[in-house]
Amino acid sequence: MIEIIFQKKQDAWNLYHHLVARLASLQEKNSILLNEDQNRVLIPEDFFMKEKIPGLKKCVYDFILKLKRDDWLRNILAESFYYTESEEQDQILDIIYSVMEGNRKDLAPFMEGAEEPGIVKKAINEILDERVSFSFDSFVVFRLKSYFEQLSNWAEVAIDEYKMEQEYQVFLHTLRSFLKGRKPQMPYLYLVIEENMTFFNQEFTEMKRSELFKTIDRRLLVNHPVYVDSGTIAPLLSIAPQTIFLYTDDSHQPLVRTIINLFEERVKIKPISVFEEERLDFFNEDHENIR
């Protein structure tokens, strides 16, 4: 028998049930056992044979990534960064896992490093190929040291993003409050967002920077100087149009998302390709009306 020894009874229980469930088809006369009194999982040497060892390694790998990784990340958040509330931990972990799943490409460059599966698989292969009993906790401390450094780095990146997201929510709440009591200065406003943002009034006439600056409610710059860009957000909030027709080919870029989050249902998104067509139609109709 090869024994895997744990400091915590719960860890031994979790690995035992994980192995039994996953390796049920490989268990014959010799079965995996649990010594609850000594926090030990006993694995028959039969499982270290050539045809069975890959399945055993895969199970231990899944145990680490699917059961222990979450525990370790929560411990890092609590002990190294003092995030002890489960709700905060959940939000930070959501950021980490979203990057792992490829859903946060903006953060991916900051969470690069040694490949996660490679580190863990290499350590598991080495320890199980030795075919000796071992302490799981010592295995984690010594053989997964670089992996823990990677987890700590990921946690730090995710915490920075979490703080920024919290600040962004304060930003939205503050400016929505300003907008709520603001009387619309125009019924329509047309915005074209490419490399820069260009304003057009309800008559499809471009509003120059000097004109936009005159529209700005100075209370925005005095009361919320950190949150407000005088070239984009400040004039937009000051004009507070009833409807914003926003033309863009990238509705996920930060500025577009901010405008949508501030004005919500008042924003109508359209592709840039239709702007000139609609502008031309407007002038043609206006010319016909004059005639």
Side-chain angles (χ1 to χ4, degrees):
M1 286 281 187
I2 305 298
E3 297 182 349
I4 303 180
I5 307 153
F6 293 85
Q7 289 183 0
K8 297 178 181 179
K9 180 176 292 187
Q10 187 64 44
D11 284 340
W13 191 91
N14 286 340
L15 177 62
Y16 167 71
H17 285 278
H18 181 75
L19 293 178
V20 168
R22 294 294 189 89
L23 300 176
S25 62
L26 299 179
Q27 296 191 69
E28 298 171 357
K29 293 181 181 180
N30 297 320
S31 60
I32 298 169
L33 302 174
L34 173 65
N35 185 330
E36 291 192 75
D37 293 335
Q38 297 183 13
N39 304 339
R40 295 171 184 239
V41 176
L42 290 74
I43 304 174
E45 293 197 26
D46 181 52
F47 280 89
F48 291 82
M49 294 173 60
K50 184 177 180 181
E51 64 272 15
K52 294 184 179 181
I53 188 67
L56 176 62
K57 289 178 178 179
K58 179 68 166 57
C59 281
V60 176
Y61 172 79
D62 288 343
F63 171 73
I64 287 176
L65 262 63
K66 295 181 180 180
L67 296 177
K68 290 304 299 175
R69 181 176 61 191
D70 198 82
D71 290 342
W72 293 336
L73 283 168
R74 290 181 187 277
N75 286 338
I76 290 170
L77 291 176
E79 295 174 8
S80 299
F81 300 101
Y82 309 106
Y83 285 90
T84 57
E85 297 294 329
S86 60
E87 185 177 344
E88 285 189 313
Q89 290 182 356
D90 288 344
Q91 292 182 55
I92 295 169
L93 291 183
D94 282 346
I95 294 171
I96 293 174
Y97 291 137
S98 67
V99 176
M100 290 181 180
E101 293 164 4
N103 299 324
R104 293 292 300 268
K105 298 191 186 315
D106 57 319
L107 294 181
F110 302 101
M111 287 177 60
E112 290 179 344
E115 184 187 8
E116 180 189 38
I119 296 174
V120 178
K121 285 181 180 178
K122 182 174 184 293
I124 291 171
N125 287 339
E126 290 174 349
I127 195 69
L128 293 182
D129 284 345
E130 292 174 9
R131 297 195 182 191
V132 296
S133 297
F134 64 93
S135 162
F136 181 81
D137 297 275
S138 295
F139 163 76
V140 169
V141 170
F142 295 107
R143 305 216 186 195
L144 293 182
K145 181 180 178 182
S146 61
Y147 179 58
F148 266 79
E149 291 173 352
Q150 181 170 299
L151 291 182
S152 183
N153 175 64
W154 288 358
E156 190 169 359
V157 171
I159 286 169
D160 287 342
E161 181 66 14
Y162 171 71
K163 289 179 179 177
M164 289 179 63
E165 289 180 359
Q166 294 299 104
E167 291 174 359
Y168 182 68
Q169 292 305 315
V170 171
F171 159 81
L172 290 178
H173 176 75
T174 301
L175 297 187
R176 278 176 185 156
S177 297
F178 171 87
L179 191 59
K180 189 175 182 180
R182 184 76 177 170
K183 182 179 178 181
Q185 305 299 302
M186 290 183 183
Y188 305 109
L189 186 68
Y190 301 90
L191 296 179
V192 178
I193 300 183
E194 296 180 277
E195 291 183 4
N196 298 308
M197 184 162 77
T198 307
F199 288 70
F200 295 83
N201 63 20
Q202 67 268 29
E203 297 176 345
F204 270 103
T205 301
E206 182 178 347
M207 300 177 70
K208 301 299 183 181
R209 188 174 182 84
S210 57
E211 183 182 356
L212 289 171
F213 189 75
K214 292 177 183 178
T215 69
I216 296 175
D217 187 323
R218 295 298 181 267
R219 290 175 300 172
L220 274 172
L221 303 182
V222 173
N223 298 332
H224 313 296
V226 176
Y227 300 129
V228 177
D229 176 359
S230 62
T232 56
I233 298 298
L236 194 54
L237 288 168
S238 299
I239 296 170
Q242 289 179 340
T243 303
I244 298 172
F245 292 99
L246 196 159
Y247 301 84
T248 180
D249 291 331
D250 182 6
S251 60
H252 297 290
Q253 64 172 290
L255 180 56
V256 174
R257 298 311 306 169
T258 294
I259 293 171
I260 293 171
N261 286 330
L262 284 172
F263 288 87
E264 300 176 313
E265 71 279 356
R266 293 158 72 173
V267 182
K268 311 299 179 185
I269 302 290
K270 298 186 178 187
I272 290 176
S273 59
V274 306
F275 173 72
E276 286 299 335
E277 180 182 339
E278 292 189 350
R279 190 184 188 199
L280 183 61
D281 287 345
F282 173 84
F283 286 125
N284 286 338
E285 289 177 9
D286 190 51
H287 181 70
E288 289 295 326
N289 291 334
I290 292 175
R291 291 178 63 187

